[in-house]
Amino acid sequence: MTKRRLSQQQRGRINRNQEQRQARLERSNSRAVEQISGEELGPEIPGLVMCHYGQQLEIESLAAESAGRIFRCFQRTNLPPLATGDRVIWQADSDCSGVVVALQERTSLMSRPNQQATLRPIAANVSVVAIVIAPLPQPFANLIDRYLVMAEHLGLRPLIVLNKVDAFMVGRDTEIEAMLTIYTRIGYPVLRVSCKKDMGIDELKAFLADQTVVFVGQSGVGKSSLVNALRGDAEEYTDALVGDMSVGQDKGTHTTTAARLYHLPGSGDLIDSPGIREFGLWHMDSQMIFDGFAEFDPYRGACRFRDCSHQQEPGCALLQAVEDGHITRERLASYFSLLNTLNPDS
Ligand SMILES: Nc1nc2c(ncn2[C@@H]2O[C@H](COP(=O)(O)OP(=O)(O)OP(=O)(O)O)[C@@H](O)[C@H]2O)c(=O)[nH]1
Ligand SMILES: [Mg+2]
Ligand SMILES: [Zn+2]
């Protein structure tokens, strides 16, 4: 009881701090917008958010006369937080900068909850979520499952990419292959690639044709390396920064610090996102988690008891499906572990 009350107090304090920080941010943002607004602004034109860092946005112009040029912009404070991949309306000023004045409708918005359980938008209008894993840093099925739940929830196509197949390690490879077999059986596409040895990159490119993909996964798995490998020698931008393996991924160093969009030569867009240690699903409820496990779907509402917890009840359809080999013990265990992370109020 005491514990619970304390944690609510803490939560309240954290939220207040968060709100104050947000208010400070908005005040300085509106000052910046006022300064720009003092100047003569150009007509309203469409643009694409290439990157959002701090308070600044990099906007690619989609207007015929300045198509492809990048402008540094602030956003009007009445707009919701913008994400890489957002389509916007903006106005240029005289100096390669401008103001975003409107947000166009999104087809999807991928967000990431922070420690305060506040959702932060990461990438908008994506169609594919590429979950990148590698022999090193060690992959965790539970993290893959979190991303899959998120992708299913948003109606996005998931893809699992095993990178660094050139660096397979004795003992680790069978473990990873066993893990990937589970996902293949469920029906999730799995591609094996190596940026270093240029293996499987063409196959990946074919899968991503005409799509907008966001690369997600732990720091150091090679998301930025994949973006560079896919883009080849496209010159439109400098390469995505790739981490130095010798620095060590365990020290919490993240090479990529903000999600950034790159055009794939030919067709499609790639969004590189910063690596993460944890991907919380605190904003979800138990039903959303269940819905995120695609192979559970045929057993929805099929248990004898309507409020079945799928732990030990007689007539449990999920447990029977595990017995029959249609659902793996690993995925059921992962489902319970995700349920345990949920906010008790949800
Ligand atoms: N052996 C091998 N190493 C690779 C491969 N792809 C990437 N790496 C190395 O892995 C390290 C991390 O690569 P990054 O592309 O920076 O990883 P990231 O996922 O973008 O990391 P964050 O930006 O921190 O999230 C670098 O040292 C790369 O050279 C590969 O196919 N094989
Ligand atoms: Mg990176
Ligand atoms: Zn059940």
Side-chain angles (χ1 to χ4, degrees), residues 299 302-305 307-311 313-319:
Y299 311 101
C303 300
R304 185 181 304 165
F305 301 111
D307 59 347
C308 186
S309 71
H310 321 303
Q311 309 251 22
E313 291 89 338
C316 172
L318 272 195
L319 291 176

Side-chain angles (χ1 to χ4, degrees), residues 218-225 227 240-243 254-258 272-275:
Q218 285 166 271
S219 195
V221 291
K223 298 176 295 296
S224 302
S225 305
V227 165
L241 206 60
V242 164
H254 299 275
T255 306
T256 307
T257 50
D272 186 13
S273 80

